[in-house]
Amino acid sequence: MDAEAGGGMKGKQEYMKEAGARTIIPKIIKSGYKALNLCHYFTAGKDEVRAWSIKVGCLAPKAAGVIHTDFEKGFISADVMSYDDLVELKSEAAVK
């Protein structure tokens, strides 16, 4: 099968599977974050989970400012927890 032939994204996926190819996009993203000295943090609510990019070593008020500048100015506190702890204990209350 030709990579450009029919099927759009599905055709490309089939071609990659047949050719034994795999994507290196995750590696490119990780390398880019490392080169730019960035990391990410997540915010979660009832309706969504979002990832935010910040400089490594950024303090919580500055990180909050990535979401909205008013958050940086009026920052009070942050609840921080390990994802692994949350998965293991199954609730935010249990982690606290």
Side-chain angles (χ1 to χ4, degrees), residues 42 44 49 80-91 95:
F42 296 94
V49 174
V80 179
M81 64 186 73
S82 161
Y83 173 77
D84 292 335
D85 290 345
L86 183 59
V87 169
E88 180 184 335
L89 298 173
K90 310 227 186 300
S91 77
V95 174

Side-chain angles (χ1 to χ4, degrees), residues 44-62:
K46 291 182 180 181
D47 298 336
E48 71 175 357
V49 174
R50 294 211 43 192
W52 304 90
S53 298
I54 57 172
K55 289 280 186 184
V56 171
C58 182
L59 298 178
K62 189 77 166 173

Side-chain angles (χ1 to χ4, degrees), residues 13-26:
Q13 290 172 338
E14 288 175 13
Y15 175 79
M16 288 181 67
K17 186 175 181 179
E18 289 174 13
R22 55 178 215 194
T23 183
I24 62 164
I25 291 175

Side-chain angles (χ1 to χ4, degrees), residues 22-31:
R22 55 178 215 194
T23 183
I24 62 164
I25 291 175
K27 185 176 183 178
I28 292 169
I29 292 169
K30 288 177 186 175
S31 295

Side-chain angles (χ1 to χ4, degrees), residues 1-8 10-12:
M1 171 184 275
D2 186 322
E4 299 299 319
K10 188 171 183 173
K12 289 178 184 179

